[in-house]
Amino acid sequence: MVKVRSGVNELKVYRPGKPIEEVERELGISDVMKMASNENPLGPSPLALEAIQETLGKINLYPDGNGYYLKQDLARHWGVEPEQVVLGNGSDEIVQLIAMAFINEGDEAIMATPSFPRYEPVVRLMGGVAREVPLKDHRHDLEAMAALINEKTRLIFICNPNNPTGTIVTKDEVKAFLARVPREVIVVFDEAYFEYVQDSTYPDGLDYLRQGREVIVLRTFSKAYGLAGLRVGYALTTPEIADYLNRVRPPFNVDMLAQVAARAALKDREFLQRVVTANEEGKQFFYRELERRGIPYIPTWANFLMLDTGVDSVRLFQEMLRRGVIVRSGDIFAMPTWIRVTVGRPEENERFFAVLDEVLPGLRK
Ligand SMILES: Cc1ncc(COP(=O)(O)O)c(C=O)c1O
């Protein structure tokens, strides 16, 4: 028996949305459709694909470990300094770097539940305590989160829009919240779905950075930019916090193809616009179809939505899986009759409802 580091014992292996190939292999079916991981149904930006083609012949070399050009581009894009940008192997990795850099044994981090399920384990791994605050009406309960702040609090995670509920907290709510947060506590705004939000009350985490607050804004190329498979996300923060995150960051964490693809995707404004428009249309289609069937759902600001099927979501998940549709069952979010579905292309959304109509009546009996 080996002696494992304390904190590792209680961790569970993360269960991502099932990959298409795994379902096809296990069930011996084809034409499987994944609506489980909030990926981009329109694929990657064509400009990103071109950039990858041009770079393929160079992959015998290490990537630029400092990500110089991508950081320059991101800094220009968001109006910050390159020293304020930290690149990650997905924003996932940066969540872990944050805990590594800022959580000591016994330190506390405040987060919502259900929310993105990576905050809690990374805090625990570092010997910290995750203080989880239940959502209120499916939204972050910022009042209750503020009330938990004490001298041990180091980090507060705000997932905005929140995964899995797709809900947002507003500018006014965040302003009132920050007034209660001591300056030295770092507030992490996880804005993985930032590009999808069409709402003037939605706060841009960068505004608080510009106001001189200790905040970390997380964004990613995995969602609206369609590069989930390449693993590239980033943090925008103060130069001081960026420096600490870079100290714990593995030296070549973002590979060469990811760097060139991300740079190209960032320039592809037309693709991004197409993605956002298609998502809005897809959302409206979901709303209409759900209302027609009387299925409750949570209005969403992201590219996925939660719906209450009224039946055991694990069984529903399995029945849909057998028919080639992968969704996310709500049991992992302690919402056992709900499922989370990623908005797909029009034909995918239609197939989702066709399969739902096929399996739901049998499970209601
Ligand atoms: C809220 C949130 N944060 C972060 C991530 C991680 O994204 P990535 O590591 O692909 O950048 C996800 C992915 O689903 C997410 O939903």
Side-chain angles (χ1 to χ4, degrees):
M1 276 274 266
V2 294
K3 285 207 181 337
V4 73
R5 189 180 178 282
S6 61
V8 178
N9 252 336
E10 305 110 62
L11 294 180
K12 294 198 181 73
V13 175
Y14 181 69
R15 266 203 303 140
K18 261 182 171 306
I20 289 176
E21 294 76 16
E22 184 179 312
V23 175
E24 295 189 337
R25 196 171 58 238
E26 287 176 2
L27 298 179
I29 55 177
S30 58
D31 195 23
V32 168
M33 168 176 104
K34 186 173 174 204
M35 299 173 104
S37 299
N38 310 336
E39 290 141 330
N40 192 324
L42 301 192
S45 139
L47 295 192
L49 291 181
E50 252 172 56
I52 291 172
Q53 293 284 359
E54 283 165 18
T55 313
L56 275 175
K58 298 185 192 157
I59 58 169
N60 56 311
L61 303 174
Y62 281 96
D64 173 6
N66 186 35
Y68 177 85
Y69 291 108
L70 178 54
K71 287 206 305 201
Q72 290 280 332
D73 286 359
L74 284 167
R76 207 172 311 118
H77 189 83
W78 296 115
V80 299
E81 296 302 318
E83 296 71 41
Q84 296 182 267
V85 185
V86 180
L87 302 180
N89 196 260
S91 50
D92 240 357
E93 183 185 45
I94 306 182
V95 170
Q96 177 142 14
L97 300 182
I98 292 169
M100 283 169 78
F102 296 108
I103 295 290
N104 264 315
E105 198 83 20
D107 286 346
E108 296 187 5
I110 300 172
M111 62 201 68
T113 186
S115 188
F116 185 53
R118 292 299 303 154
Y119 313 138
E120 185 268 339
V122 296
V123 167
R124 187 128 56 105
L125 177 64
M126 299 313 297
V129 179
R131 309 284 310 267
E132 296 183 293
V133 179
L135 299 180
K136 193 170 157 191
D137 298 330
H138 306 303
R139 285 162 22 91
H140 279 59
D141 185 351
L142 292 180
E143 281 286 320
M145 290 174 77
L148 280 185
I149 297 171
N150 62 35
E151 69 289 347
K152 291 189 197 149
T153 309
R154 295 289 171 274
L155 298 172
I156 302 173
F157 288 94
I158 298 181
C159 186
N160 201 30
N162 187 47
N163 177 1
T165 51
T167 50
I168 60 166
V169 283
T170 64
K171 283 179 190 164
D172 287 347
E173 289 165 338
V174 172
K175 188 174 171 201
F177 174 74
L178 285 181
R180 296 176 64 184
V181 178
R183 290 260 154 188
E184 67 278 11
V185 173
I186 298 172
V187 181
V188 182
F189 290 96
D190 184 345
E191 298 178 353
Y193 303 94
F194 177 86
E195 293 81 5
Y196 289 106
V197 184
Q198 312 278 304
D199 190 324
S200 60
T201 69
Y202 176 63
D204 176 347
L206 288 183
D207 286 344
Y208 311 114
L209 190 60
R210 294 191 188 102
Q211 288 163 16
R213 298 289 309 221
E214 309 290 346
V215 305
I216 303 175
V217 177
L218 296 180
R219 302 216 173 129
T220 181
F221 286 94
S222 297
K223 309 296 176 182
Y225 289 101
L227 301 180
L230 285 178
R231 315 302 305 123
V232 49
Y234 56 98
L236 305 168
T237 184
T238 67
E240 184 194 17
I241 293 175
D243 178 44
Y244 289 131
L245 295 178
N246 276 318
R247 293 184 201 199
V248 293
R249 182 179 62 82
F252 300 108
N253 61 332
V254 180
D255 74 52
M256 184 187 288
L257 300 179
Q259 290 187 32
V260 295
R263 291 188 67 203
L266 193 63
K267 292 193 187 84
D268 198 345
R269 308 298 300 174
E270 191 238 305
F271 176 76
L272 187 65
Q273 192 51 54
R274 218 155 28 91
V275 167
V276 173
T277 306
N279 186 60
E280 272 310 307
E281 288 167 6
K283 273 168 54 177
Q284 297 308 326
F285 176 79
F286 263 93
Y287 293 169
R288 274 198 308 277
E289 293 299 311
L290 290 167
E291 280 160 24
R292 214 153 62 76
R293 291 167 176 78
I295 297 175
Y297 64 91
I298 306 172
T300 180
W301 278 257
N303 67 338
F304 57 86
L305 82 172
M306 288 291 276
L307 45 117
D308 187 358
T309 63
V311 300
D312 176 1
S313 72
V314 177
R315 287 184 59 211
L316 180 66
F317 162 79
Q318 284 159 349
E319 288 302 318
M320 295 195 81
L321 196 65
R322 282 182 34 207
R323 289 159 180 84
V325 178
I326 317 174
V327 297
R328 209 65 200 242
S329 57
D331 59 317
I332 46 170
F333 306 118
M335 296 170 83
T337 59
W338 295 70
I339 57 171
R340 193 193 66 196
V341 191
T342 306
V343 175
R345 293 190 301 276
E347 65 275 18
E348 293 177 320
N349 300 336
E350 277 171 27
R351 180 169 162 203
F352 167 83
F353 279 104
V355 170
L356 188 71
D357 288 343
E358 200 180 311
V359 300
L360 253 190
L363 293 172
R364 280 194 179 125
K365 278 179 198 147

